[in-house]
Every structure is written in C-alpha cells, then in structure tokens.
Amino acid sequence: MAATQKLACFRLPPLPTIKEIIKLYNLRAEKQLSQNFLLDLRLTDKIVRQAGNLKDAHVCEVGPGPGGLTRSILKAGAADVLVVEKDTRFIPGLQLLSEAAPGKMRIAHGDILTYRLERGFPAHIAQTWEDVPPNLHIIGNLPFSVSTPLIIKWLEQMSNRTGCFMFGRTRLTLTFQKEVAERLTASTGSRQRSRLSVMAQYLCTVKNCFTIPGCAFVPKPNVDVGVVHFTPLAQPQIQQPFKLVERIVKNTFQFRRKHCRRGLEMLFPESRRQELTEELLRSADVDPTLRPTEISISEFRALANAYSKLCEENQGLIDYDFREELKLRHQAKRQLENNRKGLNLHTTAEENVNDYH
C-alpha cells in the first residue's frame, strides 16, 4: 500500500544532519511564531507516507523550517517541491538542500496565509474535479498559531475550487495540535465534535493518521501533535455556498451546551425570531432539542437548504447579523441615558437660577 511503502525513490548526497543545520546557522525556534522542530527523520518519513505515492509528484511544503520534512519529501521521489517559508533565517539552510537536489526544489519566501499557490504549479497537472486527484500534494508541519485559520482558508478554497484546488481535488497532509486533530475527525455525538468537524467533513474525507508525542519536537510543546490527511470529496455533502454553511454551523455551535434552537434562532431578527426559527426547524425536520454535537452532516445539509430558501423569500436576511442588532440596541440605550442625564442637568440648572429669584 502507498501509505506503507518505503521512501527510497531518490537518494540525497551526504548532508549535515538537521541538528547540525540548526547549529550551523544558529537557528532557534521562535515562541511567538509557534515554531517546533521535528529532528527525527523516521517521523518525517512517516508523515510523508501518509500522503501516498509521491513519485514524480508536485508538492508544496508549508513552513519547512530547517528542512527535515523536506528531505523526506525529496527522498520519496517528488519531482517538484515548492517550499513556502516566512522566516528568512531558514532560507540559507534550505538553499543548501536545494543545491543537493538540483532541479527538484524551489524556495519561496512568503506567508502561506497570503501566498498564491495556484501560481506555483503548471496548468497541465490539473484534473477535473470529479476525476482522480491531481499529482499535487500540500504537506506541512504547521505552526500551531496558523494551523486553524489556514485549514479554514483552504476549506473555503476547496468549496469554491480556487487556489490550489483549481488543479482539482488536491490532497493535504498536515500536522495540528492533537486536540485540533481530534476535533477535525470527531464523529457525530462525540465530545470533541465542533464547528471545525462539520466544516471539514462535509467537504473532505478526513483521517487522523497518527499522533506524534510532544517530546519528539525541539523545543518540546506542551501538547502532542496529530497528523491529519484530507482528500476533497468529488461531491460535497452540502451543496450550498461555503459562507452560508459556515453561518449555520457557527450559530449552532455558539451555544455548545444548549439545545440547537438557541443558536439557530440568532440567525433571525428579533422581530421575527420565533416565527422563522420554527419554520427553519420544521422545514429541515431537525429536532430543536438536539445539542450541536448531536447534529449529523445530513441534518446540517437540511438546515442549510432550509435557510437558503428562507433567505430567498426574505430580502436582506442573508446579511443579518445579530451582533450588529445588539450593538445598535446598546447604542440607542446609551443615547437615551445620555439624553436623560442632559435633561436632568438642564432641569437642575433652571432650579438653581430660580433659587436667586
């Protein structure tokens, strides 16, 4: 099987070890950037095996750091490896590795949150969405601080088939804090079930591959790390725009321990809240006493479809934000209080004047 094959497709020439690279270039993990180095190449090889067969593949590695995972990707036979690194301190060490694998590795200095990956690979590798995934992979030992916003960004691009998903159903193999990895793969009814679970699973097959103990990293983080593999579905389980689905799921989980009705009613203006919430739940045939963690993907699909219909029938509903309504109410209340204070001051002033008459 691809996941268990040995990485013996390309042999790198003798190179300094990752530990020697760190010492040679005086590299230190920056705490504010959530950097943790993985020095054990047996573990980086194991991460790469989860991606499948990389022979002659195009790969984008996110945040290569000193290059340990990059070595494993090259050894697996990737034909073209684009590494995107934000921290300039790592560039010289990566250049050394690039020289050891001529024509196989490109280095981009940039922030992966804003980097245009679709410009990094040739158009001819693209596949149609319903076809097999393209021979393109995204792999990365992600800094904890960017892992969640990054996967949400990629899920939205997946839904819209933009960015690196312009090439088709690009597969991702990424590391997360163990808790986040568990949330991404949590099943309906489980304690870890969350907004992230639903958003990932309606678009992908998500697999929690294995856990790396924190002690394997330098410096050692306070948590263990999970390796997660994503394969986009040919047909998403919810056929609605990403932002609409996100709104439904976000509102549902904002009152995590309460019945789902409590969160869903915040989709609607206060003047019609009860009426539209009842219509939504009735149309979707969802039990209003379910907890958010108990709602299945098929039930979220029904809710999204019912909400989409309500938005079509009620102009401006799609733009409603209960926080904005709450903010305006507070502003009006403060204005009323200020007016009352002003009136009281004016009355007191008149009384003081009258005292002299």
Side-chain angles (χ1 to χ4, degrees):
M1 291 176 65
T4 58
Q5 68 184 24
K6 291 187 177 180
L7 304 178
C9 296
F10 176 74
R11 186 180 294 276
L12 287 164
L15 289 166
T17 66
I18 299 300
K19 191 175 285 188
E20 288 168 343
I21 289 285
I22 290 170
K23 188 175 181 181
L24 180 64
Y25 294 103
N26 194 27
L27 302 173
R28 287 183 301 173
E30 293 288 349
K31 190 173 182 180
Q32 64 267 32
L33 297 177
S34 304
Q35 292 175 342
N36 302 95
F37 303 148
L38 189 55
L39 307 184
D40 189 340
L41 295 187
R42 292 169 300 180
L43 285 172
T44 58
D45 286 351
K46 190 175 180 181
I47 292 172
V48 168
R49 285 198 294 270
Q50 309 312 309
N53 185 2
L54 295 190
K55 192 173 187 324
D56 298 326
H58 297 264
V59 178
C60 172
E61 187 192 353
V62 181
L69 189 56
T70 319
R71 296 186 187 200
S72 293
I73 293 168
L74 289 167
K75 283 162 51 184
D80 173 37
V81 181
L82 171 65
V83 298
V84 182
E85 178 54 65
K86 181 179 180 180
D87 193 333
T88 54
R89 296 176 305 142
F90 296 118
I91 301 300
L94 293 170
Q95 287 172 336
L96 182 68
L97 183 55
S98 177
E99 291 164 6
K104 290 181 175 288
M105 180 177 163
R106 295 175 288 139
I107 302 167
H109 176 228
D111 185 344
I112 193 62
L113 285 168
T114 56
Y115 190 80
R116 301 287 297 275
L117 277 181
E118 66 273 21
R119 296 177 178 176
F121 297 96
H124 70 79
I125 69 171
Q127 299 278 4
T128 61
W129 193 262
E130 293 73 20
D131 207 343
V132 296
N135 200 12
L136 170 63
H137 299 259
I138 296 179
I139 301 174
N141 174 27
L142 302 180
F144 296 155
S145 59
V146 302
S147 60
T148 300
L150 190 54
I151 193 59
I152 290 170
K153 173 192 170 180
W154 280 335
L155 289 170
E156 183 169 8
Q157 288 183 344
M158 197 182 295
S159 174
N160 299 329
R161 301 180 188 181
T162 57
C164 61
F165 302 99
M166 291 176 65
F167 299 100
R169 294 187 292 125
T170 302
R171 290 158 289 183
L172 316 171
T173 307
L174 307 167
T175 62
F176 298 88
Q177 290 184 52
K178 184 184 176 184
E179 179 186 341
V180 177
E182 289 173 346
R183 290 209 304 268
L184 282 162
T185 56
S187 58
T188 305
S190 70
R191 187 173 57 85
Q192 294 92 345
R193 187 74 163 175
S194 68
R195 169 189 168 197
L196 203 54
S197 317
V198 178
M199 297 307 292
Q201 292 171 31
Y202 97 83
L203 289 165
C204 306
T205 299
V206 192
K207 180 185 176 186
N208 193 345
C209 303
F210 67 97
T211 300
I212 304 173
C215 61
F217 293 86
V218 177
K220 177 187 173 183
N222 295 325
V223 294
D224 293 337
V225 171
V227 178
V228 183
H229 182 74
F230 304 79
T231 303
L233 294 168
Q235 290 295 327
Q237 294 193 64
I238 303 176
Q239 299 285 337
Q240 292 291 347
F242 183 88
K243 290 296 187 185
L244 186 146
V245 179
E246 187 177 43
R247 174 174 290 205
I248 287 281
V249 176
K250 182 179 180 180
N251 274 271
T252 304
F253 276 97
Q254 71 177 324
F255 300 107
R256 183 181 179 84
R257 297 183 180 179
K258 297 186 181 295
H259 294 158
C260 66
R261 181 192 174 99
R262 180 69 183 89
L264 289 168
E265 67 184 11
M266 304 311 287
L267 290 165
F268 307 111
E270 190 174 20
S271 59
R272 300 187 64 197
R273 188 161 288 163
Q274 184 172 343
E275 168 204 349
L276 292 177
T277 303
E278 288 175 359
E279 189 175 343
L280 173 73
L281 289 162
R282 184 173 60 252
S283 178
D285 193 25
V286 170
D287 182 351
T289 65
L290 286 174
R291 308 286 181 190
T293 56
E294 297 171 327
I295 302 176
S296 66
I297 296 284
S298 61
E299 287 169 320
F300 271 115
R301 177 171 61 241
L303 286 167
N305 291 341
Y307 179 64
S308 177
K309 186 179 178 185
L310 285 173
C311 289
E312 290 173 6
E313 296 169 351
N314 296 270
Q315 188 176 8
L317 182 59
I318 190 67
D319 298 317
Y320 171 73
D321 184 347
F322 79 90
R323 294 174 185 82
E324 191 62 31
E325 185 176 40
L326 204 60
K327 180 181 174 184
L328 291 172
R329 194 187 307 161
H330 286 322
Q331 286 175 348
K333 185 178 178 181
R334 279 198 301 270
Q335 185 63 47
L336 184 62
E337 288 173 352
N338 290 338
N339 289 344
R340 284 174 179 168
K341 287 177 182 177
L343 182 61
N344 289 339
L345 288 171
H346 179 70
T347 303
T348 302
E350 283 187 345
E351 290 172 349
N352 289 340
V353 169
N354 292 335
D355 285 345
Y356 285 92
H357 287 242

